[in-house]
Amino acid sequence: MEFVNVIVDISHEKLDRIFQYRIPEELQGKISTGMQVQVPFGMGNRTIKGYVTGVTDVPDYPVEKIKPVTGLVDGAVPAESELIALAAWMKEFYGSTMNQALKTVLPVKQEVSSRQEKCIVLAIPREEAEQLLKEVLHKNFRAKARLLAGLLDHDGKLSSKEAADLKITSSVIQGMERDGVVRQISRVQYRNPFAGKFEQTGIQRTLTEEQKNAVDGIWDEYAQGIRKTYLLEGVTGSGKTEVYMELISRVIAEGKQAIVLIPEIALTFQTVRRFYERFGDRVSVMHSRLSEGERYDQFLRAKAGEIDVMIGPRSALFTPFSQIGVMIIDEEHEGAYKSETVPRYDAREVAAVRAKKHGASLILGSATPSVETSRRAREGKFGWYRLTSRIGQAILPEVSVVDLREELRDGNRSIFSRRLLSAMDDRLKKRQQTMLFLNRRGLSGFVSCRSCGKSIRCPHCDVTLSLHKDGSLRCHYCGYRIPMPKNCPSCGSPYISGFRAGTQQIEREVHRLFPQARVLRMDYDTTRTRESYEQILSAFGNGQADILVGTQMIVKGHDFPDVTLVGIVAADISLYASDYRAAERTFQLLTQAVGRAGRGSKAGEAVIQTYMPEHYSIQTAAKQDYDAFYEQEILYRELMGYPPVDEMLGIYLSGKDLEKLESCAEQLVEWIRNAHVEGLCLIGPADAALARKNDSYRKVIYMKHEKKIILLKIKKLLEQQIAGTDNWNDIFIQFDYNPLQAY
DNA sequence: AGCACGCCGACT
DNA sequence: GTCGGCGTGCTC
């Protein structure tokens, strides 16, 4: 290895790219990715620091112009270089360019003009400056004159943004600084996103027996130097957050830091306030509503050691702490922890890697753990603690499952069953609140029978087929296709179009049936603006509406004590999703929705409407029985070889030239076959779920194998093959482990 | 960002 | 001509 790729440590957009340097004799073998090096830069060859992002034998810059690395940066390794090494790992593991990986791991550097803490002040008395202004005007030093006039106009102080507006360049300022006319001062003032919003009360609730047991168990192992991943399985309202906070405070007491990941949608004032009340200013929050600058400030605050706890969504995983003691992923089953952009990383996996590097414990918390996590806990690979009782007087709601096929037989074709209608009527009379939940998510073209409830499934992959514009039903994994039948293949009924209700229709129907009811609707359309999400929730929480209609976003982490009825309008919608996780997702959504009823002192009720009342994910969700669900689900995964039993790798190809795309896909399949990997299951190539997007055609190939490392090896092999072939230039390829959504 | 280069007006 | 401010462009 003769050359290194370096990102220089100067924050300027124009320099935010890779520069190559030669490794001199004496440093051979001593330089690796993630290290900091000293390099000569610019015409004056001034020495600056840079981060090594890769080592290579082939330079892509004229060799005669490449300068040698001057030395290594010694001393403590800063957090950033750990993150760069992490980016390098992500690049290898998930498949991406180094730049893509770096962009996900490091925050966007601020544009120079938009956020400047630097300012220029007059270093001489006002009269002297006025005198000087006359002098420079006389000498026709226009830039200096502009600066002096500007300073005099603004009480002797100019921000560098104002200076830039006056077209004053740095060379002018530096010249005048040398002459002692002005001084440049830089004041670092970080924005604190909730300064003054909360108060630190130091409140510490006493732990229940179960909570204490979990904390002590994890802490005992921590004290013994055992660092691993734990599953904290606890029903909604069982107080997982108290366990997190206790562990965090112990870790802080040791001088270490903590990262708490929460799905963006559940990241509310309520959650943040609890952490703030306990840890005060040492907590910070990242969320998508922060401006670019505010987010960058949080990054800097963490780096400067101003905070100990960072709460945020997936991206908070990359907070530049130097010594993490504990990492927490709350609601670990949420799809939000998988990135939808390259590198398509899984935050739970990356957290485990980062935790290992820092010697931190990793806690995965959920009421309905993902099948992957659950399996590892059951196999003993993860520590496992359960919180089974709800805190306070809250009791689990009474659940009834309504068979919509019967409603149809009895002539009720409306969205609501008689049972749900009478329950809603009852709540309106009692002035209690109702939530109506529609669990649709990314569903397109699903087909199911309204008589027997069955969907039409792929004979090879056992997932629901989806309806395409050309009238065919297709499998998103293997491409299997049949024409859309006129009648249901299992019962012959002609009612086989899907349930087409949207939240707007439900809202309209509620208005029609209960004109006196005050209704709020919350879905993607009504929460576009910045504050609307919080507004709707707090309006409902304050009792300004009787009924809240919405999609999944209404069931995540909100306590409404006056809600005593939850209606799940069509529980099976998410069952018809055309991927192997449909049943799991349905169980999770239903369990969460049911758990929303009766969070206060009043008893709650949930009504689940469905065309498939016998399906195990609906049955088990109605009983809130996770174990029973898991036992059923793992059988299906075993039978079909889906994760976590086998590992799965999606390969997504896209390109504007269809013929070329097809031949490349075939070539890829051939390379995989030629590798002769034992136990490998190859599916496809097939049209992607979205076969055309932005003028590009899209194809998918899936591979399944018991061992992820084998898939990783094949991925690497393919990357090498592609690099060595020249006709791949305008075909784009992406890799995705255990995909969540169809490409 | 920070440095050098080269343009252009002012002064000996 | 030469001096020096000031804008421009490049940096492996």
Side-chain angles (χ1 to χ4, degrees):
Chain A
M1 294 296 173
E2 243 191 294
F3 303 95
V4 278
N5 295 330
V6 172
I7 291 217
V8 294
D9 188 24
I10 297 175
S11 93
H12 193 93
E13 214 179 336
K14 283 190 168 171
L15 298 172
D16 199 17
R17 60 195 170 92
I18 285 172
F19 292 88
Q20 289 189 316
Y21 286 87
R22 193 161 41 76
I23 304 177
E25 276 294 310
E26 66 274 18
L27 293 176
Q28 280 291 332
K30 288 185 182 165
I31 294 183
S32 57
T33 302
M35 286 175 93
Q36 279 191 297
V37 286
Q38 289 188 315
V39 289
F41 194 74
M43 297 178 234
N45 278 335
R46 73 213 143 83
T47 308
I48 56 162
K49 284 190 287 185
Y51 300 107
V52 176
T53 64
V55 191
T56 176
D57 267 330
V58 251
D60 36 9
Y61 194 74
V63 192
E64 65 277 10
K65 288 191 195 166
I66 295 183
K67 298 172 187 174
V69 173
T70 30
L72 305 177
V73 176
D74 43 24
V77 189
E80 245 160 333
S81 89
E82 179 238 318
L83 286 173
I84 286 163
L86 190 65
W89 176 84
M90 286 168 67
K91 163 205 145 82
E92 283 297 311
F93 196 80
Y94 297 104
S96 75
T97 66
M98 191 61 202
N99 267 327
Q100 287 167 322
L102 276 173
K103 273 182 193 157
T104 50
V105 157
L106 298 175
V108 192
K109 295 223 165 114
Q110 275 304 284
E111 280 193 21
V112 187
S113 56
S114 62
R115 190 189 67 92
Q116 271 290 1
E117 59 265 15
K118 264 193 195 167
C119 60
I120 302 144
V121 291
L122 206 52
I124 51 174
R126 212 182 155 84
E127 308 80 62
E128 231 173 281
E130 276 161 3
Q131 189 57 43
L132 191 64
L133 176 59
K134 277 182 203 154
E135 250 170 65
V136 294
L137 269 175
H138 185 66
K139 284 185 182 161
N140 215 352
F141 294 174
R142 277 168 314 213
K144 276 182 184 169
R146 281 199 302 275
L147 177 59
L148 278 171
L151 281 167
L152 287 168
D153 275 355
H154 289 83
D155 276 338
K157 204 188 234 170
L158 275 182
S159 73
S160 30
K161 176 148 181 10
E162 289 167 321
D165 289 342
L166 291 168
K167 288 216 162 74
I168 292 157
T169 55
S170 58
S171 50
V172 179
I173 299 164
Q174 272 163 31
M176 292 188 60
E177 195 173 16
R178 255 198 312 279
D179 300 340
V181 182
V182 298
R183 254 197 343 253
Q184 286 192 79
I185 54 171
S186 62
R187 213 180 2 172
V188 189
Q189 219 173 37
Y190 302 123
R191 281 156 278 205
N192 182 342
F194 40 65
K197 278 186 189 156
F198 305 124
E199 230 176 288
Q200 181 176 12
T201 58
I203 288 180
Q204 228 172 308
R205 288 166 226 200
T206 43
L207 299 182
T208 64
E209 219 26 65
E210 281 180 333
Q211 288 171 336
K212 202 168 166 305
N213 184 36
V215 170
D216 290 346
I218 294 169
W219 195 252
D220 280 351
E221 293 200 316
Y222 189 96
Q224 287 166 42
I226 300 171
R227 300 301 144 81
K228 60 181 188 189
T229 304
Y230 300 87
L231 166 60
L232 182 63
E233 186 178 340
V235 296
T236 355
S238 62
K240 292 189 290 291
T241 310
E242 293 300 326
V243 175
Y244 303 154
M245 291 202 292
E246 182 57 32
L247 286 168
I248 291 169
S249 74
R250 293 188 188 190
V251 152
I252 291 177
E254 293 210 328
K256 295 184 179 179
Q257 303 95 41
I259 292 176
V260 183
L261 300 190
I262 293 179
E264 175 90 48
I265 201 164
L267 190 57
T268 58
F269 251 47
Q270 300 173 33
T271 333
V272 175
R273 180 198 283 138
R274 288 178 69 183
F275 278 91
Y276 195 85
E277 281 173 354
R278 174 107 181 230
F279 302 109
D281 273 337
R282 306 295 294 177
V283 184
S284 187
V285 182
M286 287 224 198
H287 55 82
S288 61
R289 283 174 185 135
L290 292 182
S291 70
E292 229 19 272
E294 284 172 320
R295 238 181 295 182
Y296 190 60
D297 280 356
Q298 299 322 300
F299 185 89
L300 293 179
R301 283 180 75 198
K303 210 171 105 173
E306 281 187 19
I307 53 179
D308 300 317
V309 186
M310 178 62 87
I311 306 172
R314 196 175 63 219
S315 58
L317 176 55
F318 305 112
T319 305
F321 283 140
S322 55
Q323 250 204 317
I324 302 168
V326 66
M327 296 178 89
I328 286 153
I329 303 187
D330 192 33
E331 309 291 339
E332 68 82 32
H333 61 276
E334 282 292 326
Y337 291 123
K338 259 206 81 181
S339 168
E340 297 117 59
T341 53
V342 179
R344 293 173 176 268
Y345 69 95
D346 182 335
R348 295 167 301 180
E349 224 164 22
V350 180
V353 170
R354 212 174 166 209
K356 193 164 187 181
K357 256 185 219 163
H358 282 253
S361 297
L362 174 62
I363 321 283
L364 305 178
S366 176
T368 52
S370 63
V371 178
E372 297 95 291
T373 300
S374 220
R375 189 164 192 249
R376 297 223 175 96
R378 274 153 226 261
E379 287 171 345
K381 287 180 186 154
F382 290 174
W384 189 13
Y385 293 94
R386 296 183 112 166
L387 307 177
T388 53
S389 51
R390 280 187 161 189
I391 304 242
Q393 67 283 68
I395 41 165
L396 285 174
E398 191 187 311
V399 186
S400 51
V401 177
V402 176
D403 188 344
L404 286 176
R405 297 170 303 187
E406 269 174 35
E407 295 289 317
L408 189 68
R409 272 200 290 276
D410 294 347
N412 178 10
R413 291 240 208 145
S414 88
I415 299 175
F416 302 120
S417 63
R418 290 157 293 181
R419 168 107 204 199
L420 183 53
L421 270 182
S422 71
M424 283 165 69
D425 192 40
D426 176 63
R427 297 315 125 126
L428 282 171
K429 283 182 184 134
K430 287 188 190 153
R431 300 197 155 272
Q432 293 175 356
Q433 289 182 306
T434 297
M435 282 169 93
L436 292 177
F437 170 54
L438 193 69
N439 52 325
R440 65 186 296 118
R441 166 186 266 172
L443 279 197
S444 59
F446 79 97
V447 167
S448 70
C449 174
R450 289 186 68 180
S451 282
C452 72
K454 296 225 166 64
S455 58
I456 305 171
R457 299 174 80 83
C458 172
H460 311 293
C461 307
D462 198 19
V463 293
T464 301
L465 300 178
S466 28
L467 181 62
H468 282 245
K469 279 190 195 123
D470 61 357
S472 67
L473 286 178
R474 293 191 209 170
C475 170
H476 286 167
Y477 288 156
C478 71
Y480 171 84
R481 71 163 83 177
I482 50 166
M484 169 76 183
K486 296 249 182 312
N487 297 85
C488 170
S490 55
C491 77
S493 159
Y495 295 113
I496 53 168
S497 64
F499 193 96
R500 294 256 177 265
T503 45
Q504 291 184 32
Q505 275 160 283
I506 295 175
E507 189 187 15
R508 229 177 292 138
E509 193 66 5
V510 174
H511 272 309
R512 193 177 67 80
L513 295 165
F514 304 105
Q516 77 282 16
R518 297 162 301 162
V519 186
L520 275 174
R521 176 165 62 94
M522 186 156 135
D523 56 22
Y524 184 73
D525 288 334
T526 59
T527 51
R528 292 258 177 92
T529 63
R530 255 173 162 244
E531 310 296 332
S532 53
Y533 180 80
E534 287 286 344
Q535 264 169 21
I536 295 174
L537 288 176
S538 65
F540 188 63
N542 296 335
Q544 291 170 34
D546 306 300
I547 298 173
L548 176 64
V549 179
T551 54
Q552 15 278 340
M553 54 180 83
I554 66 173
V555 297
K556 313 266 177 191
H558 292 280
D559 277 352
F560 298 113
D562 290 327
V563 171
T564 55
L565 173 65
V566 169
I568 294 142
V569 179
D572 18 348
I573 293 184
S574 49
L575 262 185
Y576 301 132
S578 54
D579 68 86
Y580 70 89
R581 282 186 154 96
E584 180 181 358
R585 204 150 44 222
T586 303
F587 174 81
Q588 287 161 351
L589 287 171
L590 296 188
T591 308
Q592 265 174 10
V594 166
R596 291 296 116 203
R599 292 302 295 273
S601 47
K602 298 172 205 121
E605 181 188 354
V607 177
I608 301 177
Q609 303 193 134
T610 173
Y611 290 97
M612 297 189 81
E614 70 282 0
H615 193 282
Y616 64 88
S617 61
I618 288 168
Q619 288 282 324
T620 54
K623 290 185 208 130
Q624 304 265 304
D625 186 349
Y626 181 86
D627 289 335
F629 165 76
Y630 176 83
E631 296 304 328
Q632 287 281 328
E633 182 66 13
I634 201 74
L635 286 180
Y636 164 66
R637 307 281 174 104
E638 260 161 25
L639 191 67
M640 298 307 298
Y642 284 126
V645 177
D646 276 5
E647 298 287 338
M648 197 164 168
L649 175 62
I651 305 174
Y652 308 147
L653 299 167
S654 66
K656 295 209 193 291
D657 182 343
L658 182 60
E659 255 174 64
K660 193 172 172 187
L661 181 69
E662 276 167 348
S663 77
C664 283
E666 280 309 324
Q667 172 146 65
L668 214 59
V669 167
E670 205 178 300
W671 283 331
I672 298 168
R673 289 224 179 86
N674 286 344
H676 297 294
V677 180
E678 210 184 310
L680 185 80
C681 173
L682 182 64
I683 306 160
D687 282 346
L690 225 71
R692 246 194 123 180
K693 191 185 178 187
N694 299 336
D695 292 326
S696 277
Y697 294 93
R698 291 142 57 97
K699 295 269 175 196
V700 294
I701 298 169
Y702 291 95
M703 294 191 292
K704 287 193 288 192
H705 194 278
E706 200 191 336
K707 296 249 180 290
K708 195 168 201 167
I709 187 142
I710 300 288
L711 295 178
L712 189 68
K713 272 186 188 154
I714 299 174
K715 191 209 87 190
K716 233 177 184 170
L717 176 97
L718 294 177
E719 282 172 333
Q720 278 167 9
Q721 293 275 31
I722 292 166
T725 319
D726 43 1
N727 66 327
W728 276 80
N729 12 5
D730 26 69
I731 299 292
F732 298 96
I733 185 163
Q734 294 182 22
F735 296 95
D736 190 5
Y737 287 103
N738 299 348
L740 280 187
Q741 273 180 321
Y743 176 61

